[in-house]
Each structure stands twice: as structure tokens, then as C-alpha cells.
Amino acid sequence: MLKKCLQNVNKLDPQPAAKFVKAANQFKAQISLEKGGHRVNGKSIMGLLELANRNGDTLTLTADGEDAPEALQVLGDLLEKELNR
């Protein structure tokens, strides 16, 4: 299981969440996002919106499976681009 911590991110609104879910579903790895001990399925738009992060929160991206390294890199970059603008 690989993890990447994203600090001081902006709120994950529906449009960036949809982009993330679309990208996450391209990978075989299990993807999750966590905030404050609450973990959600990164391949579920409802899960991501349930996370309800606020500006300045820290999120942890987790990938587990055969293509986890690539998934973590691609999805981490996507989140950093979408949430830090």
C-alpha cells in the first residue's frame, strides 16, 4: 500500500471530484482518500463528496494493487493541480 499526503488543499468540488473518479477508474489498484481518519473509496463520486474537505485540509491518497505506483503518481498530480489553484 502506497500513500501520498496532500497538505493545505482547497475544497474538492464536484467537477474536480468527477475528474478524479474518472482517472481513478483507469487503474486496477484500490484507491482511497482519507481526511481525519475518515476514509472513502476514491473511485466513487459520492464517497469523495462525502469527504467534504474544506480549504486548508490535509488529504491522504492511498493506492493498493499492481499499478499502485503509477496510480499514486497520476492521481496525486491531478489532485495537486485541481486542489491548489
Side-chain angles (χ1 to χ4, degrees):
M1 180 182 303
L2 301 173
K3 293 184 179 185
K4 182 172 187 170
C5 198
L6 303 155
Q7 299 182 352
N8 288 325
V9 298
N10 293 325
K11 182 171 172 43
L12 185 58
D13 290 322
Q15 187 175 14
K19 285 182 185 179
F20 181 87
V21 168
K22 184 176 181 181
N25 278 299
Q26 301 299 311
F27 296 100
K28 293 179 182 178
Q30 294 179 9
I31 309 295
S32 62
L33 278 173
E34 182 177 344
K35 178 192 91 171
H38 181 68
R39 180 178 289 185
V40 298
N41 181 351
K43 295 182 178 183
S44 164
I45 188 75
M46 294 306 291
L48 292 184
L49 295 177
E50 175 188 316
L51 197 59
N53 74 300
R54 297 180 309 241
N55 290 348
D57 281 347
T58 297
L59 299 178
T60 302
L61 172 63
T62 305
D64 189 25
E66 67 181 71
D67 55 359
E70 182 185 1
L72 197 69
Q73 181 66 49
V74 170
L75 298 172
D77 289 349
L78 176 64
L79 281 176
E80 287 175 342
K81 176 184 169 200
E82 291 294 325
L83 299 181
N84 289 320
R85 51 180 170 151

